[in-house]
Amino acid sequence: MKYLGLLCMAAAAVAGGFLLAGEWEMRVKMLGIFRQMAVYLKARILYSNETLPEALKEIGSRFSDGNSGMAAEAGFFFLRVEKRMEEEAGKAFAEIWKEEMEKFPDDLPLRKQDLEALRALGENLGYADKKTQERTILFYLEQADDSLAFLKKEMESRTKLYRSLGMAAGLFILVLFA
């Protein structure tokens, strides 16, 4: 029974290391999804001459269909914003955007700085002309690219570190208590 307990503790330590590594990978994935959505938003507004609600609905549908979990959450976010824009026509876009961001799940793998960049995108997007909207989206894309470059550079070493530490902690538990 003692060895079974030790084995469970060691497995939990290894799983914890892999879980921390997975969080980094999910953060990179979510930032990539929001970046891709911003690129599509820019294209829809500038080149297809769609209004902001039309663009949000099209992009939200594209990303929510066929995806699940956190990947679909980004698409649902755009769809919720678009729906509220239609229902509450007199309300400021930035306020709707901010309120819908507050509905993100607690386990969304984005950090505070990622959410602040996304919030800034919404604050400056809804009231401006096309040129200003383009600049706002380009600024968000620049921030997202910087974050993604840093995360991708750090991700490989950190995922190896977290996995190795998890395995080392599991082995340490086994050796220490066996």
Side-chain angles (χ1 to χ4, degrees), residues 5 82 108 143 150:
E82 181 272 332
L108 191 73
Q143 288 179 316
F150 170 76

Side-chain angles (χ1 to χ4, degrees), residues 14-70:
V14 171
F18 277 84
L19 185 66
L20 285 173
E23 286 179 13
W24 273 81
E25 292 168 353
M26 279 303 297
R27 183 175 174 206
V28 168
K29 183 178 178 182
M30 283 302 295
L31 273 177
I33 288 170
F34 275 112
R35 185 199 178 285
Q36 191 176 11
M37 291 175 80
V39 168
Y40 286 145
L41 185 62
K42 178 183 161 223
R44 288 274 181 204
I45 291 171
L46 296 178
Y47 307 120
S48 298
N49 286 325
E50 291 182 353
T51 62
L52 188 57
E54 291 171 341
L56 289 172
K57 185 175 185 176
E58 176 65 32
I59 296 165
S61 297
R62 174 182 284 187
F63 279 84
S64 63
D65 294 342
N67 288 323
S68 62
M70 292 298 157

Side-chain angles (χ1 to χ4, degrees), residues 132-143:
T132 308
Q133 287 180 343
E134 178 185 18
R135 286 190 205 123
T136 300
I137 294 171
L138 288 174
F139 182 68
Y140 174 76
L141 290 173
E142 186 177 315
Q143 288 179 316

Side-chain angles (χ1 to χ4, degrees), residues 61-100:
S61 297
R62 174 182 284 187
F63 279 84
S64 63
D65 294 342
N67 288 323
S68 62
M70 292 298 157
E73 180 59 34
F76 292 139
F77 168 67
F78 271 35
L79 290 174
R80 287 191 312 262
V81 170
E82 181 272 332
K83 184 178 179 186
R84 286 201 48 205
M85 284 179 73
E86 288 181 0
E87 292 172 352
E88 304 170 23
K91 196 167 190 178
F93 175 78
E95 192 175 329
I96 293 172
W97 184 272
K98 184 180 177 185
E99 289 172 3
E100 289 302 322

